[in-house]
Amino acid sequence: MTDFAAAFARLPLVAILRGVTPDAVVDVGAALVDAGFTLIEVPLNSPDPFDSVARLAQAFGDRAMIGAGTVLRVEDVRRVADAGGRMVISPNTDLDVIGATVAAGMTALPGYFTPSEAFAALKAGASALKLFPAEAASPTVLKAQRAVLPKDAPVLVVGGVAPDTMAPWRAAGADGFGLGGALYRPGASAADVGVAARAFVAAWRG
């Protein structure tokens, strides 16, 4: 079973499968895992998300960390765990959700936008931070935040990221990225997702 630190060290890119259906999720997951992805998220505003989490966890839980995104309620943290998910990702800094995630033995990756939110999330037990939405920030903003955030606190940039836009964020201190529409859109074939996934992996490792 892969833990977050090991998965993040291998490839710090989170695949965000917003809109994926349970019938498609295993084929899409296989394409991602084959490309080297070790962190996969099914947002809860997708169709039957807990079913998709369960299918991914059963198929790939020994090779990747599977979790849920857009987790906004404490009660959904337990549902993620019951489905086999081990990562809880949110767009916001909800201390109750973070606390429930930590108490359940799962990895909390909350969204933040300000230093106050970042420090509050870390104090509550977040394993990593998600700068969101990145479209409203900039590498300059991240660089200023990284000057005060703990060096060992991973920061992922999420929102509008493409293979050719990663370098400035990395130079500013991004430790990884959450990848949405440029990696997966509802209805995309597994083959197309594989092509996009390999492009992101090449950009990261290049």
Side-chain angles (χ1 to χ4, degrees), residues 52-136:
S52 290
V53 169
R55 294 188 190 205
L56 286 173
Q58 183 172 13
F60 309 111
D62 59 338
R63 288 177 283 167
M65 270 200 88
I66 308 302
T70 320
V71 181
L72 305 176
R73 305 185 304 169
V74 168
E75 50 266 40
D76 285 332
V77 172
R78 176 48 56 190
R79 296 185 70 189
V80 174
D82 290 345
R86 295 188 293 121
M87 227 175 9
V88 170
I89 303 172
S90 302
N92 58 336
T93 305
D94 186 313
L95 303 185
D96 292 333
V97 169
I98 297 169
T101 301
V102 173
M106 294 190 293
T107 297
L109 278 77
Y112 86 98
F113 199 73
T114 67
S116 294
E117 291 173 339
F119 281 108
L122 292 171
K123 186 176 181 180
S127 296
L129 299 169
K130 161 183 159 178
L131 177 60
F132 177 81
E135 296 96 330

Side-chain angles (χ1 to χ4, degrees), residues 32-51:
L32 292 166
V33 171
D34 288 347
F37 274 72
T38 56
L39 300 161
I40 304 175
E41 160 195 346
V42 177
L44 292 189
N45 55 0
S46 304
D48 300 314
F50 298 105
D51 188 6

Side-chain angles (χ1 to χ4, degrees), residues 169-180:
W169 289 107
R170 291 184 74 179
D175 299 296
F177 295 90
L179 310 174

